[in-house]
């Protein structure tokens, strides 16, 4: 136990870490400090870096994009670019999005839910006014609370859902502020007839849905028409399995989110919010299903992805993180809506590449090629040695730690022998 770690000076915190962890003084001395990031979180230690790369050849709603992606998984950017290129040749993605967000006031101990629902609906305009008065600046920007819905949850509980246009912001803080005012007002107005329990944003953002489509002439996935037909059919079947089996759907959706998360991180967006919304939406029918479907229609492979994407172009860390600002310059998106449409397209491209590999040669062949560099480094190769070792590693019967160590040793021995001669 440590009391008041957050109140300690930085040097006292480092001293505490030296005494209570395995970090050495040298290691602690090397931690860099970003003074802006230090203000963003509690108990800041240092910055943690992840690789960032660019996925290319995205065409969304007829506009070309280079997409910054932050990910530690070697195959993600290659797969996104691969999927994007195929769809680009087919004319690109068509993507559309709506960006309302929902807050909820959860109430309990209700005697007559139907009567209370009717009364709450009668004061809908007042509820919207209370919400808007709690955050007037979003109204000035053209947004604000738009409508309400009252849902009977059973068990003497109701949810008063408030739909809010948060413009360019993701809106969690805006909505939480609004819900606190609305909740307090409801408690006062309906005193003795209900208990207001929770006042907060819902991350099941099904009113911030992005729908992405693409229609791919099958010869773009294989120039041999018969093979292309077979592959397209297998891709459609793989997507069907994600509709009828939740175990498969979880992996299917993870592939989609591989791409979506990477762009969300690169653009300073809240990927936890996206993840929870995506999974909740995938289970909304009562069964967890794949978020995308693929069908073959008249020698075309047609993909559709529907996913909540409550993303932002301002707020949170977006405005203050320099790298995020640079990534917006790479991406050249002008609005949160456009960002959602590009991010959704990355999800569908990622899904296409994964299913194409899975239905074709299998996922491991490509995956392991891309993992090879990480495998060599994890087993002691220096970054500058990696290129000279790759082809040898590919020729090993199995690509694993033992094989990597063998290759490293071989290359180094050969180099040492060469130096001696
Ligand atoms: P902020 O609290 O940063 O609010 C965004 C602010 O940006 C607005 O209040 C507004 O301030 C300003 N702004 C400037 N230009 C615009 C514009 N064109 N449109 C809209 N706003 C504009 O962020 P959010 O309310 O969006 O909340 C997002 C943050 O909340 C994220 O960091 C998220 O991780 C976190 N969060 C998430 C939760 C969840 O998902 N459950 C819960 C709690 C927090 P003004 O109008 O006053 O100038």
């Amino acid at each position: 136990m440590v009391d008041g770690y957050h109140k300690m000076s930085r040097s006292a915190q480092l001293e505490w870490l030296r005494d209570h962890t395995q970090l050495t003084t040298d290691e602690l001395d090397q931690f860099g400090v970003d003074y802006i990031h230090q203000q963003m979180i509690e108990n800041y230690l240092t910055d943690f870096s992840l690789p960032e790369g660019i996925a290319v050849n995205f065409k969304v709603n007829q506009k070309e994009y280079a997409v910054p992606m932050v990910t530690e998984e070697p195959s993600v950017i290659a797969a996104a670019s691969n999927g994007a290129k195929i769809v680009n040749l087919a004319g690109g993605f068509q993507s559309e999005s709506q960006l309302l967000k929902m807050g909820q006031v959860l109430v309990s101990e209700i005697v007559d839910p139907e009567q209370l629902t009717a009364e709450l609906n009668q004061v809908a305009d007042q509820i919207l006014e209370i919400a808007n008065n709690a955050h007037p600046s979003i109204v000035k920007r053209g947004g604000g609370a738009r409508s309400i819905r009252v849902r009977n949850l059973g068990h003497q509980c109701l949810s008063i859902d408030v739909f809010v246009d948060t413009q360019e912001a993701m809106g969690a803080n805006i909505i939480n502020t609004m819900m606190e005012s609305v909740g307090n007002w409801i408690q006062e107005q309906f005193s003795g007839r209900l208990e207001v329990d929770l006042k907060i944003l819902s991350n099941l953002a099904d009113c911030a849905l992005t729908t992405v489509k693409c229609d791919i002439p099958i010869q773009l996935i294989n120039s041999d028409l018969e093979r292309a037909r077979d592959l397209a059919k297998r891709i459609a079947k793989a997507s069907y399995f994600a509709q009828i089996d939740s175990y498969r759907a979880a992996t299917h959706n993870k592939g989609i989110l591989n791409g979506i998360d990477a762009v969300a991180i690169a653009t300073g967006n809240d990927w936890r919010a996206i993840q929870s919304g995506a999974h909740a939406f995938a289970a909304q029918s009562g069964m967890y299903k794949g978020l995308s479907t693929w069908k073959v229609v008249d020698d075309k492979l047609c993909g559709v992805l529907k996913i909540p994407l409550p993303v932002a172009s301002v707020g949170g860390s977006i405005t203050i993180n320099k790298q995020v600002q640079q990534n917006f310059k790479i991406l050249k998106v002008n609005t949160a809506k456009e960002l959602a449409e590009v991010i959704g397209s990355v999800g569908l491209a990622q899904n296409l590449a994964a299913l194409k590999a899975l239905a074709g040669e299998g996922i491991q062949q490509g995956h392991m090629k891309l993992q090879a560099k990480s495998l060599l480094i994890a087993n002691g190769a220096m970054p500058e040695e990696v290129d000279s070792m790759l082809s040898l590693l590919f020729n090993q019967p199995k690509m694993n730690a033992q094989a990597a160590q063998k290759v490293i040793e071989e290359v180094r021995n050969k180099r040492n022998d060469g130096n001696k001669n």
Side-chain angles (χ1 to χ4, degrees):
M1 274 287 283
V2 52
D3 257 343
Y5 182 86
H6 66 289
K7 289 186 198 151
M8 290 180 192
S9 66
R10 181 171 174 82
S11 56
Q13 286 180 342
L14 295 185
E15 226 168 83
W16 188 91
L17 285 170
R18 191 198 57 208
D19 295 344
H20 293 87
T21 71
Q22 292 176 343
L23 287 169
T24 62
T25 308
D26 272 359
E27 283 170 327
L28 285 161
D29 284 347
Q30 277 167 27
F31 283 132
V33 175
D34 180 306
Y35 293 100
I36 293 174
H37 292 176
Q38 195 173 28
Q39 305 308 315
M40 284 167 62
I41 60 164
E42 189 90 322
N43 297 350
Y44 176 86
L45 175 62
T46 188
D47 274 18
F48 180 93
S49 79
L50 282 171
E52 173 173 335
I54 306 289
V56 290
N57 291 323
F58 273 89
K59 190 197 253 186
V60 182
N61 297 335
Q62 298 309 315
K63 182 172 163 185
E64 299 269 349
Y65 296 91
V67 183
M69 299 177 82
V70 172
T71 178
E72 86 297 348
E73 193 171 335
S75 53
V76 167
I77 296 176
S81 299
N82 178 281
K85 190 172 179 186
I86 295 170
V87 179
N88 193 323
L89 293 170
F93 295 97
Q94 300 87 50
S95 187
E96 54 182 36
S97 61
Q98 24 156 209
L99 278 185
L100 277 184
K101 318 288 158 50
M102 192 191 104
Q104 54 182 167
V105 175
L106 289 150
V107 302
S108 61
E109 295 176 31
I110 292 156
V111 181
D112 186 347
E114 272 179 30
Q115 170 66 21
L116 202 61
T117 300
E119 287 181 44
L120 282 160
N121 278 321
Q122 272 164 18
V123 293
D125 286 346
Q126 275 160 282
I127 292 176
L128 296 180
E129 199 181 326
I130 301 285
N132 285 331
N133 286 342
H135 214 294
S137 60
I138 196 67
V139 180
K140 278 200 198 118
R141 293 184 187 281
R146 295 284 189 246
S147 61
I148 75 155
R149 171 180 69 187
V150 184
R151 277 181 306 125
N152 185 352
L153 307 179
H155 316 279
Q156 295 180 290
C157 297
L158 289 182
S159 175
I160 298 117
D161 302 336
V162 183
F163 296 92
V164 185
D165 176 350
T166 56
Q167 297 277 295
E168 289 301 305
M170 181 259 195
N173 292 319
I174 297 172
I175 289 181
N176 290 347
T177 307
M178 287 180 166
M179 291 311 101
E180 288 192 0
S181 283
V182 170
N184 294 344
W185 184 81
I186 289 175
Q187 186 69 77
E188 253 176 55
Q189 296 296 309
F190 296 90
S191 169
R193 300 173 58 200
L194 53 72
E195 186 65 35
V196 170
D197 295 298
L198 303 169
K199 316 153 214 179
I200 191 160
L201 167 95
S202 167
N203 282 114
L204 174 45
D206 59 359
C207 45
L209 266 194
T210 295
T211 306
V212 189
K213 294 182 180 164
C214 62
D215 295 337
I216 306 164
I218 56 167
Q219 267 155 308
L220 288 174
I221 56 171
N222 195 312
S223 52
D224 178 306
L225 187 60
E226 277 321 300
R227 286 194 178 163
R229 278 192 182 128
D230 182 55
L231 184 56
K233 206 171 100 189
R234 284 166 181 273
I235 291 172
K237 229 187 220 177
S239 113
Y240 180 66
F241 273 117
Q243 295 302 306
I244 60 169
D245 179 41
S246 300
Y247 285 90
R248 175 59 211 142
T251 322
H252 182 96
N253 290 343
K254 194 272 182 179
I256 294 170
L257 288 160
N258 268 342
I260 288 181
D261 275 357
V263 194
I265 297 170
T267 56
N269 272 283
D270 185 337
W271 73 95
R272 289 87 54 207
I274 293 173
Q275 286 273 344
S276 67
H279 295 302
F281 183 68
Q284 218 176 15
S285 66
M287 180 192 155
Y288 186 93
K289 290 183 178 181
L291 291 160
S292 71
T293 53
W294 292 89
K295 290 194 171 120
V296 184
V297 183
D298 298 335
D299 276 350
K300 279 191 176 164
L301 181 63
C302 307
V304 181
L305 168 68
K306 267 191 190 180
I307 184 168
L309 287 174
V311 296
S313 69
V314 299
S317 69
I318 295 171
T319 325
I320 47 181
N321 186 313
K322 214 168 87 189
Q323 257 178 294
V324 165
Q325 287 301 314
Q326 285 164 350
N327 286 339
F328 270 93
K329 286 187 184 172
I330 295 170
L331 202 47
K332 294 201 284 186
V333 296
N334 296 313
T335 59
K337 182 172 162 20
E338 187 183 354
L339 178 60
E341 287 162 2
V342 174
I343 294 183
S345 304
V346 174
L348 193 57
Q350 201 80 46
N351 183 228
L352 170 63
L355 294 186
K356 188 170 154 275
L358 188 60
E361 79 271 20
I363 210 98
Q364 272 318 79
Q365 194 179 327
H367 244 250
M368 287 318 287
K369 267 192 188 161
L370 290 156
Q371 299 275 9
K373 291 184 182 179
S374 304
L375 187 65
L376 286 164
I377 288 179
N379 283 285
M382 300 305 289
E384 60 275 15
E385 293 178 309
V386 165
D387 281 345
S388 64
M389 296 171 172
L390 274 177
S391 57
L392 274 175
L393 184 57
F394 293 148
N395 287 335
Q396 298 300 308
K398 275 203 176 130
M399 225 193 297
N400 54 21
Q402 207 184 356
Q405 283 156 16
K406 186 171 159 238
V407 165
I408 294 168
E409 204 182 317
E410 262 178 43
V411 170
R412 285 182 182 165
N413 286 344
K414 213 166 157 193
R415 197 173 51 220
N416 288 341
D417 289 348
N419 288 344
K420 276 184 215 150
N421 296 334

